[in-house]
Amino acid sequence: MLLENMAMAFSAIKANKMRSILTMLGIVIGIGSVIAIVSIGDTMRNMFADLYKDIGVTQGYCQVKSWMVDDWRQSDMFTLDEIEQIKAVFGSEIAYIDSAASTKGEAVFGRTKVDFNYEGIDYNYQEVQPVNIIYGRHLNQGDILGRRKNAVMDVKSAEKLFGTENAVGKTFRTTIYGDVQDYTVVGVYRKDLSPIQAMLLGDNGDGGSAYIPYTILTWPNDYFTQLHIFASEDVELGDFYRRFSAYIAKIKDRTPEQIYMYTAEEEMMSMDQMMGGLALAVGGIAAISLLVGGIGIMNIMLVSVTERTREIGIRKALGAKTRDVMIQFLTESAILSAMGGIIGILIGVGIVSLGGLALGVPVVVKPGVVILAVGFSAVVGIFFGLYPASKAAGSDPIDALRYE
């Protein structure tokens, strides 16, 4: 019986091709929009998760809130000895720690001048932020302890300053904290990022960037205002950073409320919630077109019932039950809606896939969303087809046979 109803439904749809296509259009647009928006939202959330994973989900920054205390004092700053003390207290719970020191300066090589961002790091930074060293080496412990004027830069920065990728052994002059010194390039690295990741992480534009020993950026008095930490991956981050803040408050003779603790995990969760809420809101707006599409199906089915009044009368006169006629028209409306849903899914997935291919971003299309979209489109067809179907089923066969 079901196959017979489906065959009759497809026959009726084929008999009015243009009308059927226009009827499905609202469902196609609605489902396509919902699939595209949800997939874009999931793709963005996945991309942000990968981005934070790339820059380090376990990292955090800590300092005394100088903007919230009236009695700011030098002891609120940190020293290299305190870093060693923190390492001893927390042991393996800390994967990495430095002074979060950075500065800017003009790098000069011959007649070439490039504005550089210098980031101070410890020798084991490569363990928490791995990069692909293509020439030379990374900074080592001797560079850090000896405050050697060595630098590691990315390949683009090397090209801007020296005109070549392999800049190992070349020296450049720069000014840091008023001190003019020659620095030697000991390594060049490459870190491949997608266009979207590069945009989100920012671009130096015409400038460059380099890693130098963080001990240089704490000289000459070895005082600094902030700590940069990477917790070990096997610790519970919330608990760890609460204990870390409490410890910093204790050694600085401050209250926990006076300690600023910023973590990448909190930012990632906040971003994920924002992206999820945005996708839900926009997807809800797009879903309104499904309502419009459903109303269109109801309208066309009512027209179809009127046009096929005589056919309904003949079927009922030949013994078709009211339920059979109702199922026939419900099947037709459900197929119309489901076909529109399938086409909408193909269009939505296609648009997202092409966009991801163009931007070099892996697209996330969840099968559950696709199945839900098809099922929902069929339900829309059945729901909005109920009234036309019940009207057809309730018609009097004698009146239907007399209809011209």
Side-chain angles (χ1 to χ4, degrees):
M1 189 66 178
L2 178 61
L3 293 177
E4 182 183 347
N5 284 327
M6 290 179 68
M8 293 174 65
F10 280 114
S11 178
I13 292 170
K14 287 170 62 179
N16 298 279
K17 295 184 182 67
M18 183 55 67
R19 189 171 72 184
S20 299
I21 291 172
L22 293 175
T23 303
M24 289 187 291
L25 195 57
I27 300 295
V28 170
I29 294 173
I31 291 294
S33 300
V34 171
I35 289 290
I37 290 169
V38 171
S39 297
I40 290 172
D42 288 337
T43 299
M44 291 295 291
R45 293 168 75 178
N46 188 65
M47 188 180 66
F48 273 110
D50 288 343
L51 182 63
Y52 277 101
K53 183 179 179 181
D54 189 52
I55 65 175
V57 179
T58 68
Q59 72 173 309
Y61 292 85
C62 182
Q63 69 180 91
V64 176
K65 295 178 180 177
S66 57
W67 59 92
M68 286 188 63
V69 296
D70 297 326
D71 58 336
W72 173 258
R73 48 188 185 260
Q74 189 178 34
S75 61
D76 289 326
M77 302 179 74
F78 299 96
T79 65
L80 294 177
D81 288 338
E82 285 178 326
I83 283 185
E84 296 304 317
Q85 180 183 341
I86 290 169
K87 287 180 181 178
V89 171
F90 288 93
S92 61
E93 290 185 290
I94 292 181
Y96 176 86
I97 184 171
D98 67 27
S99 63
S102 63
T103 189
K104 295 182 178 181
E106 186 179 64
V108 180
F109 176 73
R111 294 184 177 181
T112 305
K113 297 180 180 180
V114 179
D115 291 328
F116 260 65
N117 292 320
Y118 299 108
E119 183 177 352
I121 62 171
D122 204 349
Y123 72 93
N124 60 337
Y125 191 63
Q126 174 78 340
E127 296 175 8
V128 292
Q129 289 286 272
V131 292
N132 180 23
I133 298 290
I134 55 175
Y135 303 108
R137 62 173 176 82
H138 215 292
L139 297 177
N140 59 32
Q141 193 168 13
D143 295 322
I144 308 302
L145 296 177
R147 303 181 195 263
R148 294 172 185 165
K149 304 300 188 294
N150 290 338
V152 175
M153 62 180 61
D154 66 278
V155 64
K156 291 183 180 179
S157 298
E159 289 177 335
K160 290 175 185 176
L161 184 59
F162 301 105
T164 180
E165 288 187 358
N166 189 358
V168 174
K170 295 183 179 297
T171 60
F172 62 95
R173 181 161 293 179
T174 192
T175 302
I176 294 179
Y177 299 158
D179 185 22
V180 181
Q181 292 284 347
D182 288 333
Y183 282 73
T184 302
V185 178
V186 296
V188 178
Y189 71 89
R190 174 182 285 116
K191 194 163 188 176
D192 297 322
L193 299 172
S194 70
I196 296 293
Q197 287 177 318
M199 180 185 70
L200 293 173
L201 287 175
D203 191 356
N204 288 322
D206 295 330
S209 62
Y211 294 128
I212 61 176
Y214 83 98
T215 47
I216 292 177
L217 296 181
T218 60
W219 187 257
N221 56 21
D222 284 344
Y223 281 97
F224 45 92
T225 60
Q226 195 174 56
L227 293 174
H228 179 209
I229 319 106
F230 280 80
S232 298
E233 294 184 355
D234 56 349
V235 303
E236 202 286 307
L237 292 179
D239 175 67
F240 168 77
Y241 279 118
R242 279 192 295 273
R243 289 187 289 108
F244 189 89
S245 297
Y247 178 75
I248 297 301
K250 179 181 178 181
I251 65 173
K252 295 301 178 186
D253 192 25
R254 294 291 186 182
T255 64
E257 291 74 22
Q258 292 174 320
I259 303 300
Y260 173 73
M261 189 78 241
Y262 162 81
T263 67
E265 184 192 40
E266 291 177 350
E267 183 177 322
M268 184 180 72
M269 291 175 63
S270 177
M271 184 64 69
D272 184 69
Q273 290 174 356
M274 185 188 73
M275 293 298 300
L278 184 62
L280 186 63
V282 178
I285 294 172
I288 294 175
S289 59
L290 286 175
L291 178 63
V292 176
I295 294 172
I297 288 176
M298 177 187 288
N299 184 48
I300 293 302
M301 290 306 297
L302 284 171
V303 173
S304 180
V305 167
T306 303
E307 288 179 344
R308 295 157 64 185
T309 301
R310 189 171 181 82
E311 174 195 331
I312 295 167
I314 292 172
R315 286 201 66 194
K316 297 192 78 173
L318 292 175
K321 298 178 181 179
T322 300
R323 181 186 64 183
D324 297 331
V325 176
M326 188 169 185
I327 290 175
Q328 175 192 343
F329 281 89
L330 277 178
T331 302
E332 188 173 326
S333 63
I335 288 175
L336 268 174
S337 187
M339 287 175 62
I342 292 171
I343 295 171
I345 288 169
L346 294 176
I347 292 175
V349 172
I351 290 173
V352 173
S353 299
L354 287 174
L357 187 64
L359 296 173
V361 175
V363 174
V364 178
V365 181
K366 295 181 179 178
V369 175
V370 174
I371 294 171
L372 183 63
V374 174
F376 186 72
S377 63
V379 169
V380 166
I382 293 172
F383 178 79
F384 285 97
L386 275 174
Y387 176 68
S390 63
K391 183 179 179 182
S395 61
D396 185 274
I398 303 300
D399 293 335
L401 288 170
R402 289 175 179 171
Y403 183 82
E404 292 294 339

